[in-house]
């Protein structure tokens, strides 16, 4: 059943089908109520025809609606939007001061008996009985004839107007559209300069979100990894989604960037910009319902998400809230009154009261659930599905649709007003206590801002004052103060090209520096354009020292030119180059002549010029300095590097000369047509003084050498460079114990423990020369003899009978197999054999956060609920994320050799791993 009818004939057919499903006695009672004495001796079919004539007559409908009470008209008005609703919805909408559920139920019964409300029937459920005393009656659906709905338009059933409060709330959070435009401008500047990386799911990378968060606060930096976490999950994501919905950003190659022409948004008036952002918010992919702190969304097995509103329902609810804001007075208004107005006029603006199921569900329900069990089923349908109170200790976490409307739909209204519309700068939010937390608490009162009044109530935008003659001030210390930056974002965007931002709020502070001016010149600005911009906006000449310094910086820049795509052409002599440049092949190819024998050629013309020169019989050698070719030199020991003549180029010579000396050609033993570089401790000391480390040298040689570096070459070069601290030595004696003893037992003896210098293994230890006589005497005293020599001690056969039997046939025992597995697992780096701690909750989070701070790898034992066995892995933690009320660890898994995400609830054991 839809909310609209295409004509009188269709309306009559709908009524006929409905009355046919009624019991005959109910049809007779209805006709008697509408027209006394009309159906006294008629059959049911004749009474139905008479009812249809009355209810399709517009004049009769106007008289019937006009005779209703204000409550009756309001109940009919509650279904005007859809034309069809449930009795449960009407019972909720009708209640108010002095009107309880019993009174509303009586009014609904009267409307049904008068035919102004039609009760829907089910195809196989038997006759509809107009009896509403049973609890199951609230699940019934009702609708109104088209003529009755049309008659409501001419009857005044308006509720009393909302009243404004004169008392200022203890805490006010002002909605500032200027603040919003500033942040949107800074976000667009960030996206235009660097972009924001997107994950495979299309979500922004958290590291880039932190950078964007810092960019929105010029002059401030985040000090902790998790700093600004609430902003990252809240207002910052809201801004990004708002920019995307407003058409100011787009995704390119897994990056979110500002669209071309986004700067035009900065030149729009406040009203035009606010209207554009407001229209984008109405359908924004942003769920205010899921941001309610006192509710938690839970899985619902029977109907998807249950009653959790989907995005399209959120958009409809926003429209309903804005419709009430169109008529609110100026000043503070209670949020509870706004929500109450929605309950009375559109109680299902967010969540329907009664879910609809297919007809076969009702067949089963009517045939089995009758009487007591049917009422229990009705009571179950009166609960919200898919979410509950977040307080786990509450005795009753479930919420009822007929009693907890303010806690669900009312809280959603407060969330939309106090967060989204306040962020848009259209609402000021007031809280009922001074220590309230705007990020988690809901506002008690709201007030339209001046811009909100213009937008919601369609008042003419206030004429903006003409800008002052001076928009900025340039000070002799090179600081530029923009007087009203948020009203002149176009000027601010121009300053960004050649000045550094110090702060940006109502007033902005910029600084002119050599680097910032060079940045502007590289972007295409000229000295005259920079000076003109500053002098025009300041309505005064620049300070003399600033003007002269800008001229000096521009002249210094003009002496250095950067050509991003050019080729250097070097001829054998000046005459040859002059002859080449005069050829037609060089037309439009020469950038400039650098020296008598060298010229700069455009990169796009390099192939054409090279082909022409080779056509003249001259061989052309091409060197691409943008590439770094490997394997172009040979190592003859750690001290000699040989480069073939065809591989020798100026850049390679520069890099080798930083840590080696170039030898002239003709060196004895050198291959023909090659160059020799020698490395010595003095050349490595020179490189170290220049800031070049030995590891950088080894990396360079390993990449460039054809055969690579041997261990001896690496050791020698590191030794010559002073990489190693002095090796320490001392004269000691080594003592080896037989298999029947171990140094762990001997070290427990107080007389022997201080005489041991170092224990190397269970059977081997070192003793210094000065302690040797005392150790020898202590061992002799205990009946232990010492003999010179060093080698493997004979092992006693301590194996049992089973082990000896297994060894005789060449089989391994279970203990030997287990030991081999432990050794193999230890070598593979899986962490087997390491004792794990069984932590959970906060203790596990603290353990993982400590590993993140210390950049320490972890050994975890991981088991999903669906897996029968757990797996042990070595992971390198990257980030700890909270999603959906659970903690997730982003880490690199050494076992799988890829980035993985682990849910902390599935980690049954954890320990620190060695680096």
């Amino acid at each position: 059943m839809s909310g609209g009818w295409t004509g009188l004939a269709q309306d009559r057919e709908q009524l006929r089908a409905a009355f046919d499903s009624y019991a005959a006695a109910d049809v007779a009672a209805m006709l008697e109520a509408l027209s006394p004495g009309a159906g006294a001796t008629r059959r049911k079919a004749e009474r139905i025809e008479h009812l249809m004539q009355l209810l399709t007559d517009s004049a009769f409908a106007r008289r019937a609606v006009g005779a209703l009470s204000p409550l009756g008209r309001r109940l009919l008005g509650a279904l005007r939007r859809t034309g069809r609703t449930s009795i449960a919805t009407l019972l909720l909408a009708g209640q108010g001061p002095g009107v309880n559920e019993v009174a509303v139920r009586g009014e609904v019964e009267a409307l049904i008996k008068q035919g102004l409300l039609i009760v829907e029937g089910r195809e196989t459920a038997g006759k509809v009985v107009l009896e509403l005393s049973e609890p199951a009656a609230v699940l019934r659906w009702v609708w109104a004839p088209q003529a009755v709905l049309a008659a409501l338009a001419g009857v005044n059933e308006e509720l009393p107007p909302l009243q404004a409060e004169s008392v200022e709330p203890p805490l006010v959070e002002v909605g500032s559209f200027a603040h919003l435009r500033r942040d949107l401008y800074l976000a667009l500047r960030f996206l235009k300069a660097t972009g924001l990386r997107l994950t495979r799911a299309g979500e922004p990378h958290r590291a880039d979100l932190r950078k964007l968060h810092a960019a929105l606060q010029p002059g401030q930096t985040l000090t902790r990894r998790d700093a600004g976490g609430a902003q990252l999950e809240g207002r910052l994501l809201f801004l990004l989604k708002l920019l995307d919905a407003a058409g100011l950003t787009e995704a390119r190659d897994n990056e979110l960037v500002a669209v071309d022409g986004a700067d035009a948004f900065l030149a729009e008036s406040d009203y035009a910009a606010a209207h554009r952002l407001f229209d984008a918010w109405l359908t924004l992919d942003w769920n205010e319902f899921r941001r309610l702190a006192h509710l938690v969304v839970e899985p619902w097995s029977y109907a998807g998400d249950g009653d959790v509103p989907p995005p399209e329902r959120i958009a409809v609810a926003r429209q309903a809230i804005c419709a009430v804001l169109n008529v609110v007075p100026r000043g503070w208004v209670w949020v509870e009154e706004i929500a109450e107005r929605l309950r009375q006029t559109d109680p299902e603006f967010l969540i329907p009261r009664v879910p609809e199921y297919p007809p076969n569900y009702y067949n089963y329900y009517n045939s089995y659930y009758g009487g007591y069990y049917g009422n229990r089923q009705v009571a179950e349908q009166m609960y919200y599905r898919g979410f509950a109170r977040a307080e786990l200790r509450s005795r009753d976490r479930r919420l009822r649709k007929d009693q907890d409307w303010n806690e669900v739909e009312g809280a959603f209204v407060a969330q939309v007003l106090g967060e989204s519309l306040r962020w848009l700068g259209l609402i000021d939010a007031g809280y009922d206590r001074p220590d309230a937390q705007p990020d988690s608490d809901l506002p008690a009162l709201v007030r339209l801002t001046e811009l909100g009044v213009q937008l919601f109530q369609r008042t003419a935008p206030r004429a903006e004052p003409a800008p002052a003659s001076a928009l900025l001030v340039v000070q002799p210390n090179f600081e530029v103060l923009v007087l009203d930056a948020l009203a002149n974002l176009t000027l601010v965007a121009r300053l960004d090209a050649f000045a550094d931002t110090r702060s940006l709020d109502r007033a902005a502070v910029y600084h002119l520096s050599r680097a910032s001016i060079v940045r502007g010149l590289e972007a295409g600005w000229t000295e005259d354009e920079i000076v003109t911009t500053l002098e025009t906006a300041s309505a005064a000449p620049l300070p003399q020292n600033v003007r002269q310094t800008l001229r000096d910086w521009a002249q210094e820049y003009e002496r250095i030119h950067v050509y991003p795509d050019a080729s250097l052409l070097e001829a054998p002599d000046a005459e040859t180059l002059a002859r080449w440049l005069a050829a037609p092949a060089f037309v439009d190819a020469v950038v400039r002549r650098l020296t008598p024998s060298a010229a700069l050629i455009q990169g796009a013309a390099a192939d054409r010029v090279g082909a022409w020169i080779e056509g003249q019989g001259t061989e052309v050698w091409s060197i691409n300095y943008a590439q770094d070719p490997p394997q172009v030199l040979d190592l003859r020991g750690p001290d000699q590097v040989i480069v073939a003549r065809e591989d020798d180029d100026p850049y390679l010579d520069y890099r080798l000369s930083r840590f080696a000396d170039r030898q002239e050609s003709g060196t004895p033993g050198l291959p023909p047509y090659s160059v020799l570089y020698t490395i010595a401790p003095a050349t490595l000391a020179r490189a170290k003084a220049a800031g070049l480390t030995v590891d950088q040298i080894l990396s360079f040689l390993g990449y460039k050498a054809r055969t690579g570096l041997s261990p001896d070459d690496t050791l020698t070069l590191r030794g010559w460079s002073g990489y190693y601290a002095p090796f320490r030595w001392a004269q000691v004696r080594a003592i080896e114990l037989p298999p029947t003893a171990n140094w762990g037992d001997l070290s427990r003896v107080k007389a022997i423990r201080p005489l041991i210098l170092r224990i190397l293994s269970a059977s081997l230890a070192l003793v210094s020369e000065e302690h040797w006589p005392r150790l020898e005497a202590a061992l002799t005293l205990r009946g232990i003899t010492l003999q010179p020599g060093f080698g493997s001690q004979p092992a006693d056969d301590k194996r049992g009978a089973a082990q000896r039997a297994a060894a005789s046939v060449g089989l391994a025992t279970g203990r030997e197999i287990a030991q081999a597995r432990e050794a193999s697992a230890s070598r593979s780096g899986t962490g087997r054999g390491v004792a794990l701690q069984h932590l959970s909750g906060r203790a596990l989070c603290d353990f993982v956060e400590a590993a993140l701070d210390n950049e320490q790898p972890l050994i975890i034992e991981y088991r999903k609920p669906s897996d029968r066995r757990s797996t042990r892995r070595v992971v390198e933690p990257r980030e700890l994320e909270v999603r959906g009320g659970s903690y997730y660890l982003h880490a690199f898994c050494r076992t799988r050799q890829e980035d993985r995400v682990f849910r902390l609830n599935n980690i049954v054991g954890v320990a620190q791993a060695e680096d």
Side-chain angles (χ1 to χ4, degrees):
M1 181 71 65
S2 64
W5 284 259
T6 58
L8 180 62
Q10 184 176 358
D11 194 19
R12 291 178 61 87
E13 291 301 321
Q14 297 283 356
L15 288 169
R16 185 188 303 278
F19 292 145
D20 283 341
S21 67
Y22 279 15
D26 290 331
V27 173
M30 185 179 300
L31 180 58
E32 183 66 21
L34 290 177
S35 179
T41 60
R42 295 185 179 184
R43 294 178 301 172
K44 179 181 178 180
E46 295 174 341
R47 291 168 179 165
I48 290 176
E49 288 296 329
H50 197 169
L51 284 174
M52 290 167 47
Q53 291 177 3
L54 294 176
L55 294 177
T56 55
D57 184 2
S58 58
F60 176 82
R62 285 194 298 271
R63 291 195 302 271
V65 170
L68 293 177
S69 66
L71 177 59
R73 288 196 296 270
R74 183 152 58 83
L75 291 176
L76 290 178
L79 56 78
R80 184 188 299 175
R81 179 171 60 88
T82 60
R84 173 179 181 269
T85 188
S86 64
I87 294 179
T89 303
L90 296 180
L91 295 179
L92 178 65
Q95 298 179 48
V99 182
N100 56 20
E101 182 180 344
V102 175
V104 178
R105 187 182 290 270
E107 192 70 29
V108 171
E109 291 178 351
L111 291 173
I112 291 176
K113 291 179 179 180
Q114 295 177 50
L116 303 182
L117 275 181
I118 308 299
V119 180
E120 271 191 17
R122 301 295 173 187
E123 293 181 1
T124 60
K127 298 298 182 181
V128 175
V129 179
L130 303 183
E131 178 58 52
L132 304 182
S133 60
E134 290 293 331
V138 299
L139 297 182
R140 293 188 176 183
W141 289 80
V142 295
W143 51 275
Q146 180 66 20
V148 174
L149 292 178
L152 285 174
V155 179
N156 181 18
E157 76 276 1
E158 294 292 335
L159 293 168
L162 298 174
Q163 300 297 322
E165 294 290 331
S166 58
V167 180
E168 189 81 3
L171 176 64
V172 176
E173 283 290 319
V174 177
S176 173
F177 185 72
H179 185 199
L180 174 67
R181 291 197 76 174
R182 183 203 69 173
D183 287 350
L184 292 178
Y185 161 71
L186 292 173
L188 287 173
R189 186 177 72 175
F190 177 87
L191 296 175
K192 188 176 181 180
T194 63
L196 192 147
R197 293 175 300 160
L198 300 175
T199 63
R200 293 181 180 178
E203 297 296 328
H205 271 272
R206 194 168 185 84
D208 286 8
L209 278 180
R210 285 195 291 268
K211 295 177 183 177
L212 176 57
H213 186 212
L216 297 186
Q217 306 172 64
Q220 303 180 27
T221 57
L222 298 179
T223 57
R224 286 177 51 85
R225 181 191 298 268
D226 58 348
Q231 290 87 344
L232 296 182
E233 298 294 340
R235 187 170 183 271
L236 191 56
L237 284 180
F238 178 82
L239 294 179
L240 290 176
K241 289 179 178 291
L242 193 64
L243 286 172
D244 180 64
L248 299 175
T249 60
E250 64 181 356
R252 297 179 192 164
D253 300 329
N254 293 327
E255 270 196 345
L256 187 68
V257 298
V259 300
D260 298 334
D263 292 341
F265 169 75
L266 306 177
E268 295 180 0
S269 66
D270 281 356
Y271 180 80
H275 206 295
R276 178 176 183 177
L277 297 176
F278 173 75
D279 290 343
W281 168 75
L282 286 176
T283 57
L284 187 67
D285 182 17
W286 179 259
N287 197 321
E288 289 92 349
F289 184 84
R290 290 180 178 266
R291 292 182 59 78
L292 290 171
H294 68 284
L295 299 181
V296 58
V297 176
E298 298 176 337
W300 182 256
S301 304
Y302 302 103
D305 290 335
D307 290 318
V308 178
E312 57 273 14
R313 195 70 185 184
I314 294 290
V316 172
R318 291 176 185 148
Q319 294 276 10
I321 295 173
C322 293
V324 178
L325 293 178
N326 291 338
V327 296
V328 297
R330 295 199 178 192
W332 292 106
V333 179
W334 289 101
V335 175
E336 185 178 353
E337 292 187 4
I338 296 176
E340 180 71 8
R341 183 56 50 91
L342 280 168
R343 183 187 67 78
Q344 294 175 338
T345 58
D346 192 4
E348 293 184 299
F349 80 103
L350 182 65
I351 299 175
R353 297 297 96 187
V354 177
E356 286 200 81
Y357 294 102
N360 59 349
Y361 172 87
Y362 285 97
N363 297 342
Y364 175 75
Y365 164 75
N366 289 331
S367 62
Y368 182 77
Y369 286 108
Y372 171 79
Y373 294 102
N375 294 336
R376 290 289 302 271
Q377 182 71 3
V378 170
E380 182 65 22
Q381 296 297 331
M382 289 297 99
Y383 286 97
Y384 289 102
R385 306 163 301 153
F387 59 89
R389 294 182 177 93
E391 178 56 55
L392 298 179
R393 292 174 295 181
S394 174
R395 291 185 177 181
D396 187 8
R397 296 181 61 237
R398 302 189 68 185
L399 294 152
R400 290 183 58 89
K401 291 183 177 180
D402 55 347
Q403 299 176 3
D404 300 319
W405 194 90
N406 285 329
E407 195 171 345
V408 179
E409 282 91 340
F412 173 80
V413 173
Q415 181 73 18
V416 171
L417 296 174
E419 187 177 80
S420 298
L421 290 177
R422 177 172 63 85
W423 285 347
L424 287 171
L426 306 177
I427 290 287
D428 293 336
Y431 297 85
D432 53 5
R433 66 180 196 276
D435 59 344
Q437 299 296 326
D439 291 336
S440 57
D441 294 336
L442 297 175
L445 298 99
V446 293
R447 175 181 61 188
L448 292 179
T449 62
E450 186 65 31
L451 190 60
V453 172
Q454 298 172 11
L455 193 65
F456 288 117
Q457 302 182 359
R458 302 295 190 270
T459 61
R462 186 177 60 181
E464 298 182 359
S469 57
L471 301 178
L472 58 82
V473 177
V474 181
Q475 301 179 357
N477 62 352
F478 295 91
E479 282 194 349
V480 179
L481 177 64
V482 184
L483 302 179
D484 191 0
L486 301 183
N488 298 279
L489 289 176
T490 305
L491 174 61
V492 169
R494 292 172 63 84
L495 291 177
D496 282 333
F498 56 83
D500 296 325
T501 309
R502 291 290 177 83
S503 65
L504 179 58
D505 209 321
R506 178 63 67 180
V509 178
Y510 281 82
H511 182 73
L512 300 172
S513 64
R514 183 195 304 268
S516 68
I517 295 300
V518 170
R519 183 179 71 239
L521 295 173
E522 289 178 348
W525 286 71
T526 65
E527 175 193 355
D528 292 338
E529 289 174 341
I530 294 174
V531 172
T532 301
T533 299
L534 294 174
E535 290 185 340
T536 301
S538 62
L542 296 181
Q544 186 175 1
N545 67 314
V546 175
R547 181 67 184 90
Q548 183 60 41
T549 304
L550 291 180
R551 180 182 294 110
D552 294 341
W553 288 342
Q555 291 177 352
E556 290 178 6
Y557 171 79
E558 291 173 357
R559 289 197 293 266
I560 302 175
H561 296 273
V562 178
Y563 301 97
D565 185 17
S567 298
L568 178 65
L569 176 64
E570 188 174 3
D573 49 54
E575 292 75 12
T576 302
L577 181 62
R579 178 167 48 84
W580 288 350
L581 297 182
F586 284 80
V587 175
D588 298 330
V590 180
V591 177
R592 58 185 297 190
R593 188 167 180 170
L594 302 176
T595 67
S597 61
L600 202 61
I601 306 298
Q602 292 182 1
D607 294 338
R608 179 184 48 150
V609 169
W612 183 86
I613 295 176
E614 287 186 338
Q616 300 300 311
T618 303
E619 183 179 2
V620 177
W621 285 13
S622 176
I623 301 174
N624 188 352
Y625 291 105
Q627 297 179 353
D628 190 14
Q631 300 182 353
V632 294
L633 53 85
D634 296 296
L635 294 176
R636 184 185 292 176
D639 58 339
Q640 293 186 351
V641 179
I642 301 174
V643 181
R645 183 68 67 181
E646 61 270 15
D647 295 322
D648 186 28
D649 63 69
Y651 186 50
L652 180 61
D653 175 70
Y654 160 73
R655 300 178 73 180
L656 285 170
S657 298
R658 298 181 67 188
F659 60 88
D661 291 333
R662 182 183 177 110
Q663 303 295 329
E664 298 298 331
S665 58
T667 303
L670 189 66
Y673 307 108
S674 60
V675 180
L676 174 66
Y677 292 84
T678 59
I679 305 175
T683 62
L684 293 176
R686 181 182 69 208
K688 183 177 181 181
L692 190 64
T693 66
V694 67
D695 287 335
Q696 292 173 328
I697 295 174
L698 293 174
S699 176
F700 171 75
L701 292 176
Y703 179 72
K704 290 292 187 178
R706 290 186 175 89
T707 58
L709 292 163
S710 68
D712 190 6
D713 296 338
T714 303
L715 180 67
T716 303
L717 292 176
R718 283 182 170 173
W720 285 353
S721 67
Y723 178 84
Y724 299 110
F727 290 9
R728 301 177 64 186
W729 65 274
Q731 287 186 339
V732 296
R733 296 202 182 197
I735 303 178
E736 184 183 17
L737 300 182
T740 54
N742 65 78
W743 281 105
D745 294 337
L746 269 66
S747 63
R748 297 190 183 98
V749 180
K750 293 182 179 180
I752 297 177
R753 185 188 306 121
L755 305 178
I756 303 172
L757 177 62
R758 183 167 300 170
I759 297 175
L760 302 180
S761 66
S763 61
L764 190 63
L766 301 179
V767 179
S768 63
E769 282 290 342
E770 60 177 324
H771 291 156
W772 169 249
R774 293 173 56 192
L775 178 62
E776 186 177 17
L779 294 176
T780 302
L781 180 63
R782 289 161 175 78
I784 300 174
T785 59
L786 295 140
Q787 63 181 16
F790 192 78
S792 58
Q793 294 274 15
D796 291 342
D797 190 5
K798 300 176 63 176
R799 297 178 296 174
Q803 294 173 312
R804 290 196 298 271
S808 65
V809 295
L811 298 177
T813 64
R815 178 179 297 179
E816 291 171 343
I817 293 174
Q819 291 174 349
R821 287 178 177 174
E822 287 292 326
S824 175
S826 177
R827 289 192 298 271
S828 64
T830 59
R832 296 291 181 184
V834 177
L836 301 182
Q837 300 184 51
H838 300 284
L839 305 176
S840 62
R842 185 70 259 171
L844 179 59
C845 291
D846 293 341
F847 192 96
V848 174
E849 287 180 347
L852 280 168
D853 294 337
N854 299 327
E855 299 183 354
Q856 177 74 33
L858 294 175
I859 301 172
I860 64 172
E861 186 173 352
Y862 193 74
R863 183 176 62 197
K864 296 181 180 179
S866 59
D867 296 340
R868 298 180 57 187
R869 297 182 179 179
S870 60
T871 59
R872 187 172 292 198
R873 314 182 186 191
V874 179
V875 300
E876 299 174 7
R878 297 283 190 266
E879 184 180 10
L880 191 62
E881 177 190 10
V882 180
R883 185 172 70 241
S886 299
Y887 284 87
Y888 293 85
L889 173 63
H890 296 253
F892 175 78
C893 180
R894 293 182 181 176
T895 307
R896 301 290 177 86
Q897 288 296 304
E898 62 182 355
D899 290 326
R900 302 297 293 266
V901 179
F902 303 95
R903 185 171 180 175
L904 257 62
N905 290 345
N906 297 336
I907 296 178
V908 297
V910 65
Q912 289 188 351
E914 297 182 358
D915 291 331

